[in-house]
Amino acid sequence: MNFTQGEVIYIDKPYRMSSFGALAHIRYLVSRKIGVKRVKMGHAGTLDPLATGVLILCTGKMTKEIERMQYHTKEYTATLQLGATTASYDKEHTVNMTYPTQHITRQLIDDTLPQFLGDIQQVPPQYSAVKVAGERAYRMKRNGEEVKLAAKTVHIDEIEVTSFDQQLMQLSIRVVCGKGTYIRSLARDIGRALGSGAYLTALRRTRLGEVSIEHCIQMDDFPAWLAQQDIEDIKKKKTTLKNYKQ
């Protein structure tokens, strides 16, 4: 493998680690392994810290492919808590409102979800990396500033119920969608469409393009995986080149 020239790495991002944090850790390990100060690396498709799953890292010249990769179809599994909301639409914040749920049945859910298929209008979460006048929305919110985000068109190919616990009011779904779709916003909108509220309690990206979770390396397993790779010895190559010039 030649990480300096360009490689693609598939990581299963852990819970509560940012996408950049995962990238920084892998970059450190790779840079140390190949004997460079800082190998060029980027990631395709950001995952929230509370989300897990497929994170594609590109090194060297392969970073040029990141923009193209971000347009690939994505698949997620998500669990929604019905009957309540939070400011961030997930567990990052505590519950700020509760709503009735007695009327919610599996039939109502099955009748409601199809309205989210195809091209839909979606307002991103205020606690998101969307820029407003050059500033990240989540930073503005944390500074107590008012944030107004416009709706944008996103595309959802598939949405299906994988389980529903009517006693706990927990709904699990599988979603296949295009670039720019916020599953947190989808949870919010599903709650509203059900005449209640909802927020995410779990989110996992199971596929990005042709890369599925089965192709990914666990973060804890990465050092062992890296040790097994046939990697060009950069330090040795530099020494040989220096001796040749002398």
Side-chain angles (χ1 to χ4, degrees):
M1 301 188 78
N2 193 322
F3 291 106
T4 305
Q5 281 295 105
E7 298 289 349
V8 181
I9 308 168
Y10 308 140
I11 295 294
D12 184 351
K13 190 192 79 65
Y15 182 67
R16 286 199 177 278
M17 179 179 282
S18 69
S19 294
F20 179 77
L23 180 150
H25 180 65
I26 297 300
R27 182 172 58 197
Y28 168 75
L29 294 175
V30 170
S31 299
R32 187 175 63 175
K33 176 70 175 178
I34 66 176
V36 299
K37 184 176 181 180
R38 181 175 171 143
V39 68
K40 184 178 182 181
M41 187 177 292
H43 62 77
T46 302
L47 277 174
D48 291 333
L50 299 189
T52 65
V54 179
L55 183 66
I56 298 179
L57 306 179
C58 299
T59 76
K61 294 180 180 179
M62 288 304 296
T63 55
K64 296 178 181 179
E65 299 295 313
I66 287 177
E67 185 174 358
R68 179 183 62 82
M69 290 179 181
Q70 291 183 147
Y71 281 92
H72 288 172
T73 299
K74 303 171 181 68
E75 179 184 73
Y76 296 89
T77 57
T79 300
L80 287 63
Q81 178 61 58
L82 304 180
T85 57
T86 72
S88 55
Y89 315 148
D90 64 8
K91 291 169 65 178
E92 182 182 353
H93 290 77
T94 57
V95 170
N96 55 13
M97 289 286 288
T98 58
Y99 302 83
T101 58
Q102 296 90 338
H103 63 287
I104 299 178
T105 63
R106 174 58 189 268
Q107 186 60 55
L108 177 61
I109 293 170
D110 288 341
D111 292 341
T112 301
L113 291 186
Q115 69 182 262
F116 295 100
L117 288 171
D119 289 335
I120 63 171
Q121 293 296 300
Q122 184 184 81
V123 178
Q126 292 185 328
Y127 285 93
S128 68
V130 174
K131 286 189 175 181
V132 180
E135 185 69 26
R136 299 292 185 185
Y138 70 87
R139 289 177 183 161
M140 296 175 66
K141 284 292 294 182
R142 289 169 183 170
N143 290 333
E145 299 178 49
E146 185 68 23
V147 177
K148 292 185 178 180
L149 299 176
K152 61 178 182 178
T153 302
V154 298
H155 186 83
I156 297 180
D157 295 285
E158 300 176 42
I159 182 168
E160 67 169 350
V161 175
T162 55
S163 68
F164 173 53
D165 187 323
Q166 191 162 8
Q167 184 174 6
L168 297 177
M169 277 294 149
Q170 291 181 347
L171 170 66
S172 293
I173 58 176
R174 182 183 70 89
V175 180
V176 179
C177 59
K179 183 181 183 296
T181 305
Y182 279 93
I183 308 300
R184 285 186 286 146
S185 289
L186 180 62
R188 171 203 62 199
D189 295 341
I190 289 174
R192 290 175 178 173
L194 292 171
S196 185
Y199 67 94
L200 283 183
T201 59
L203 179 63
R204 184 162 177 76
R205 184 156 66 199
T206 52
R207 182 170 59 83
L208 198 170
E210 298 300 316
V211 180
S212 66
I213 198 67
E214 290 77 16
H215 301 133
C216 295
I217 307 165
Q218 298 291 322
M219 188 67 77
D220 290 343
D221 296 336
F222 187 80
W225 175 88
L226 186 61
Q228 295 173 357
Q229 303 309 303
D230 183 12
I231 301 172
E232 185 176 2
D233 192 331
I234 303 298
K235 290 181 180 178
K236 184 176 180 181
K237 183 177 179 181
K238 288 180 178 178
T239 301
T240 302
L241 182 60
K242 182 179 179 181
N243 293 336
Y244 173 77
K245 287 181 177 180
Q246 289 175 345

